[in-house]
Amino acid sequence: MTLPAGSTIGIIGGGQLGRMLAMAAARLGYRTVVLEPQADCPAAQVANQQITAAYDDPAALAELADTSAVVTYEFENVPVAAANALAAKVPVYPPARALEMAQDRVTEKTFLNGIGIATADFRAVDNDDELAAALKAFDGSGILKTRRMGYDGKGQRVFRNMEAGGFAGTCEAMGNVPLILEAFVPFEREISVISARGIDGAVTAYDPAENVHRKGILHTSTLPAGISAGTAAAAQAAASKILSALDYVGVMGVEFFVLADGSLLANEIAPRVHNSGHWTEAACIVSQFEQHIRAVAGLPLGNPGRHSDCVMENLIGDDVLRVPELLAEPDLMLHLYGKAEARPGRKMGHFTRISRRG
């Protein structure tokens, strides 16, 4: 069923992704209401209404359900119980199952392996003895991560060429929370695919972006990626497989490692619009944000093709001081997020340089 123009779309989360979703919704004739505990958040600056409350506040969730014709979200750490409570009253896309699966790295990788998508080797770790055993299995090297809530390089510790054993206190130092040790992958590059699935089951995928990270935060996404057509097709096919297995509705970002032979290992999935898809604003007719709104509103999905090659770059912290010089450049699209304070590691905006094709 197609959502009539003038309907209200609820968005859980008021950050920059919610902001760009609200802007896309307005272009398609929809109103938006944002549930976010921080007043005057980036999304509220462009949405029609903000409910200022915690994401799991029962009264706020009831108001969101009463106000919205459909509810979506801009980040994957939405409480699953809140999503299920909403889904009993109003359609929620993507489905709560996708949230539940993506919120735990062990659950996520087990799911991916179960549908035939390879990942790095991994071990669940709950104490220092299990960490020692896992490191021994991975020849003393690996990345220890929290199973839940980590993002932009947070909640991680790297081990390199270490003898297994002698790690007393490591798990306590990381908060005594469930952990995962992932084996190092000898990858040549990192890519991501932004894909979408509609209510009718139709699937589209944007071209893979090649991503470079600095200090665990995405720095640039470049199109085209330096990969073969076969590798690109395999990444898009894997993303489609994930969407179908979850009976997904909306946009999803899927990150991959590309090995020397062109084969792929899935790194993680994000059940939402994704930072590595921001380039679609400047280089495509239909951005990932419009594509997500189309999907959750029951509209036909748009053409994901790009009219330009491009490089998207994040503005982190004081990078925002570059804005005047960036605005002097031709063929550059700038998007600032409306955040009042620039802090180290904080995403303040992004820009995309385009190079028109043929």
Side-chain angles (χ1 to χ4, degrees):
M1 178 178 175
T2 301
L3 203 62
S7 300
T8 296
I9 297 174
I11 302 172
I12 303 176
Q16 62 263 20
L17 299 180
R19 177 190 183 93
M20 289 180 270
L21 287 172
M23 294 170 68
R27 287 184 57 245
L28 293 177
Y30 296 115
R31 299 173 62 84
T32 48
V33 54
V34 175
L35 173 60
E36 166 62 45
Q38 176 191 329
D40 192 34
C41 59
Q45 296 167 19
V46 298
N48 298 93
Q49 178 187 350
Q50 178 178 358
I51 300 171
T52 308
Y55 303 126
D56 57 356
D57 181 278
L61 291 170
E63 181 180 356
L64 184 66
D66 290 343
T67 306
S68 307
V70 65
V71 172
T72 189
Y73 42 86
E74 63 131 26
F75 69 110
E76 60 265 47
N77 289 321
V78 173
V80 173
N84 282 325
L86 283 167
K89 301 177 180 179
V90 63
V92 176
Y93 303 125
R97 183 186 171 211
L99 276 178
E100 190 169 17
M101 186 271 301
Q103 286 178 2
D104 184 304
R105 287 187 170 94
V106 169
T107 302
E108 176 187 58
K109 285 181 165 52
T110 301
F111 161 76
L112 291 170
N113 293 168
I115 61 172
I117 296 175
T119 64
D121 289 338
F122 64 94
R123 299 285 189 278
V125 171
D126 289 318
N127 54 57
D128 291 343
D129 288 341
E130 291 182 357
L131 172 59
L135 278 168
K136 185 175 182 180
F138 296 159
D139 297 324
S141 299
I143 306 174
L144 186 66
K145 302 178 180 179
T146 55
R147 284 173 60 168
R148 302 175 68 88
M149 301 298 286
Y151 65 98
D152 286 348
K154 297 176 174 65
Q156 298 186 13
R157 180 172 173 180
V158 175
F159 294 89
R160 295 183 187 276
N161 304 316
M162 299 183 69
E163 298 262 341
F167 305 113
T170 297
C171 292
E172 181 179 2
M174 293 190 69
N176 283 325
V177 297
L179 303 169
I180 180 175
L181 185 74
E182 299 176 4
F184 281 131
V185 174
F187 63 90
E188 289 202 333
R189 52 182 47 87
E190 296 177 80
I191 65 169
S192 59
V193 171
I194 306 300
S195 190
R197 185 173 184 270
I199 292 174
D200 62 356
V203 175
T204 63
Y206 292 91
D207 291 340
E210 183 167 340
N211 301 319
V212 174
H213 293 78
R214 289 184 178 174
K215 296 181 180 179
I217 302 174
L218 181 66
H219 175 55
T220 59
S221 293
T222 300
L223 278 291
I227 57 176
S228 70
T231 296
Q236 291 171 323
S240 177
K241 195 173 190 178
I242 294 167
L243 294 173
S244 296
L246 291 171
D247 197 20
Y248 196 88
V249 174
V251 162
M252 173 183 283
V254 186
E255 298 179 350
F256 297 93
F257 297 122
V258 182
L259 307 186
D261 63 358
S263 62
L264 298 166
L265 294 178
N267 180 27
E268 63 181 34
I269 69 172
R272 53 171 172 80
V273 288
H274 196 258
N275 192 176
S276 68
H278 289 358
W279 62 271
T280 60
E281 279 186 312
C284 301
I285 296 296
V286 177
S287 74
Q288 65 164 340
F289 306 102
E290 179 177 330
Q291 196 78 295
H292 186 81
I293 297 299
R294 285 181 179 227
V296 304
L299 296 169
L301 297 181
N303 179 0
R306 60 188 168 86
H307 51 71
S308 301
D309 295 340
C310 64
V311 179
M312 186 283 300
E313 183 173 332
N314 277 323
L315 293 170
I316 308 296
D318 287 343
D319 286 347
V320 74
L321 299 176
R322 298 169 56 195
V323 163
E325 66 186 73
L326 291 170
L327 289 175
E329 290 190 33
D331 294 326
L332 182 146
M333 180 178 182
L334 176 73
H335 195 135
L336 299 178
Y337 301 153
K339 298 178 180 180
E341 181 184 1
R343 298 194 297 265
R346 192 181 199 195
K347 294 173 182 173
M348 301 299 295
H350 68 269
F351 62 89
T352 306
R353 291 187 176 98
I354 66 168
S355 175
R356 299 184 186 277
R357 305 168 75 188

